[in-house]
Amino acid sequence: MKQLVKHIVAGAMLGSALVSTSVMAEQKVAVVDVQGIFQAMPQASEIQNAIQAEFKDQLEEVNQLQRDGQFYAERLQRDAATMSDAEKKELEQKILSVREELAKKGQPLQQNIQRRSNEERNKLLGLIKQAIDSVAAKQGYDLVLNAGAVAFAKEEHDLSEQVLQQVSKTN
């Protein structure tokens, strides 16, 4: 009885393997280089410029604080031998003040820039996904894989250029 069950299970597994192999042969598969499309999109550089413009004043303020801190540190190092203790303390206090101000303004600014960049990146990735879906549907593909996850694919199965054209039209 156990032998019969083993033969039935083995036969079922073999049969399902043969059926799944024939189904796989009928699927139309393509690849897309999502990262390459993202970098080639004209919208990506426009968004980066817009984010830089959005935070321009805050970036300039942080850069000025960095320059001030560097100036004070260089001055302290250069002129420490000729300064009085009061002048040294005053300059050290300025350096500490600038560092505190940088910590207070720099990190939140960096976080805000990162958050905005992620928001815009996700919008563009959504556009890419829509374009992939559209191109794949038009050409009858069953499966589209990210080219970064594929070891090899023939050039004829790469939809990246068509997806980039589709995304560029949506601008």
Side-chain angles (χ1 to χ4, degrees), residues 33-45 47 117 120-125 128 164 167:
D33 183 7
V34 175
Q35 187 65 30
I37 292 170
F38 182 82
Q39 291 174 350
M41 290 176 66
Q43 295 98 319
S45 62
I47 287 173
S117 294
E120 296 300 329
R121 189 182 110 252
N122 289 338
K123 287 179 187 176
L124 291 182
L125 289 174
I128 292 172
L164 180 59
V167 170

Side-chain angles (χ1 to χ4, degrees), residues 79-137:
D79 299 337
T82 60
M83 290 181 157
S84 68
D85 288 340
E87 289 175 323
K88 286 180 191 177
K89 277 193 174 199
E90 180 185 343
L91 202 50
E92 288 170 353
Q93 187 59 38
K94 284 182 179 179
I95 291 170
L96 287 175
S97 174
V98 167
R99 285 183 183 165
E100 289 172 4
E101 192 73 17
L102 267 173
K104 189 172 89 175
K105 292 183 179 183
Q107 187 173 3
L109 174 62
Q110 187 63 35
Q111 290 171 347
N112 287 338
I113 290 172
Q114 186 66 40
R115 179 187 49 79
R116 285 287 293 128
S117 294
N118 287 341
E119 288 172 1
E120 296 300 329
R121 189 182 110 252
N122 289 338
K123 287 179 187 176
L124 291 182
L125 289 174
L127 286 174
I128 292 172
K129 171 73 170 98
Q130 289 175 349
I132 290 170
D133 292 346
S134 173
V135 170

Side-chain angles (χ1 to χ4, degrees), residues 42-76:
Q43 295 98 319
S45 62
E46 292 170 8
I47 287 173
Q48 192 61 32
N49 292 338
I51 289 172
Q52 290 295 325
E54 181 179 337
F55 293 103
K56 180 183 178 207
D57 294 338
Q58 293 168 326
L59 282 168
E60 184 55 42
E61 185 177 352
V62 167
N63 288 337
Q64 185 60 47
L65 284 171
Q66 288 174 335
R67 287 190 296 268
D68 290 348
Q70 186 176 2
F71 172 76
Y72 294 145
E74 287 173 357
R75 183 173 171 220
L76 179 63

